[in-house]
Structures are given as C-alpha cells and as structure tokens.
Amino acid sequence: MTKRNLILFITAFMTALMITGTSFANGIMAKEGMRGESVKKVQTLLFEQGYLSSKSDIDGICGKKSVAAIKSFQKDHGLHVDGVCGDETYNELKKNHKGHKHDASEKNPHKGEAVYVEATGYSAHDPGNNPNTASGTPVRHGVIAVDPSFIPLGSRVYIPGYGEAVAEDIGWAIQGNCIDVAFDTHEEALAFGRQEIEIYIIEYA
C-alpha cells in the first residue's frame, strides 16, 4: 500500500468512526442505512414482539422493512413516529421485552378468530391508486382491503406487528383469503411487501 493510499484509508476509517460515535452519542440505536450489532439488537426485540415476521430479518442492516417495523412499534406505543430507534423507542422495546417470541395469546390480545391470509401492502401514493377507499374514507394506516364474501366490509381485525384495522376497501385482485394492508407512505407499503400471515377477526360487521 502506497503512502498516499494509507493516508486515504486512515482518513476514511477515522471519518466512519466519528460518524458511528456521533450516532451512539445521540442515542440512536437504529435508523435507515445503519449497520451493526446495535441494529441487530433492535431487530431482535422487534422480531420477539411480532413487528418483524422472520428471523432472516435480523441481519444487522436497517433497511426499509426494519424502519417500517420501528414505525409500527412507535405508533402502537404512542411514541413519535419517525422510524428511528433512539433512546425512548429502545427503552420502550426493552420494557415490552418478555425474553421469548410471542405465543398466539400475546400476538392476539383481542382473542379474535384466527385466519391465515396472503397480505400485500399498499398506500394512496402507489401508482394508479385512488386516495379513497371503496367506503369513501381515506386510504391510511388502519385500513384493509378485502373480499367482502370472506371478510365483510366494516369488520375489525387485529394484525400482529401492525395493529387494529377496519375493512373499508375492496379491490378487483382481492379474492378469498387475500387482503391489502394500507400504509401512510409508499415506502412503508413496499417494505411490507407480500406475506402469508395470521390475522384475527375481532368483530364481523
């Protein structure tokens, strides 16, 4: 390695070290683009509390899926929703940590009927989407689109890692045990993607 390359390497290393130190000094455990053990700790807590769906999500890389999970946790616990896990969010995660993955009763505090569905994220900002549901309400977090013959419009459901939602929308591609789960942003919908999940019917309309 030449002297010039060595100087460049040392400069880059010191810069990265300063950035990492700044993040920890500010109490940031995880935010989009961060990597490392602190991110993995946050992902583990999110997984154990039902906000990440697979152990493969615990990869130490804070991508869009992790950010969406942090936002869902923050929303469910009355915290500032910014997708950044700082001291306040991390302390709340630790406070809710039970040391094991949730069983069905912990995932479903409402004791509703469990059904398996294929769920896809969507938002009002997706290309070609209408900003309003079939019921005339805004497409937003807390709304799902359903096949009314499977889940009647107006029914209330609970989705682990997401929270309560109301069936207010329909779609031509939604048939049988398929639902669309609404988010406030296109990025959150993309991060959710398509999943096979268990949801709980709290109340049929």
Side-chain angles (χ1 to χ4, degrees):
M1 181 180 291
T2 66
K3 183 176 181 181
R4 181 174 180 275
N5 287 342
L6 180 60
I7 292 171
L8 288 173
F9 173 80
I10 293 172
T11 301
F13 176 77
M14 292 301 294
T15 301
L17 192 61
M18 287 173 64
I19 291 172
T20 303
T22 300
S23 294
F24 282 113
N26 291 335
I28 297 175
M29 296 291 293
K31 71 176 183 177
E32 188 165 8
M34 282 183 64
R35 296 168 176 254
E37 286 302 313
S38 67
V39 175
K40 191 173 286 189
K41 286 180 182 178
V42 172
Q43 290 172 329
T44 299
L45 290 169
L46 289 167
F47 170 71
E48 289 173 345
Q49 295 177 49
Y51 289 89
L52 286 173
S53 58
S54 170
K55 280 191 174 180
S56 64
D57 296 325
I58 306 173
D59 56 6
I61 303 170
C62 190
K64 294 188 182 301
K65 196 168 186 179
S66 294
V67 170
I70 293 169
K71 285 183 176 180
S72 292
F73 177 83
Q74 289 171 330
K75 187 178 182 72
D76 287 350
H77 292 80
L79 303 172
H80 175 59
V81 181
D82 59 4
V84 176
C85 183
D87 286 338
E88 186 180 17
T89 299
Y90 186 65
N91 288 336
E92 190 70 21
L93 273 167
K94 289 194 297 182
K95 187 170 74 176
N96 284 273
H97 176 54
K98 296 181 183 295
H100 60 279
K101 193 162 67 173
H102 285 184
D103 60 25
S105 64
E106 290 168 333
K107 287 182 179 178
N108 176 26
H110 304 282
K111 310 297 183 186
E113 176 190 347
V115 294
Y116 285 95
V117 297
E118 183 175 304
T120 305
Y122 81 116
S123 78
H125 306 287
D126 299 347
N129 274 8
N130 192 307
N132 293 322
T133 68
S135 302
T137 57
V139 172
R140 66 201 185 282
H141 190 285
V143 164
I144 58 170
V146 299
D147 177 348
S149 67
F150 180 66
I151 300 176
L153 287 173
S155 299
R156 293 171 55 234
V157 306
Y158 178 78
I159 304 171
Y162 179 86
E164 290 191 24
V166 180
E168 295 181 358
D169 208 359
I170 60 175
W172 64 268
I174 303 172
Q175 298 181 359
N177 64 330
C178 295
I179 65 170
D180 275 357
V181 180
F183 289 88
D184 293 326
T185 68
H186 178 60
E187 290 74 23
E188 288 175 294
L190 281 177
F192 183 85
R194 184 184 298 272
Q195 307 179 30
E196 290 187 3
I197 60 175
E198 187 177 46
I199 68 171
Y200 304 91
I201 310 298
I202 302 170
E203 181 182 14
Y204 281 103

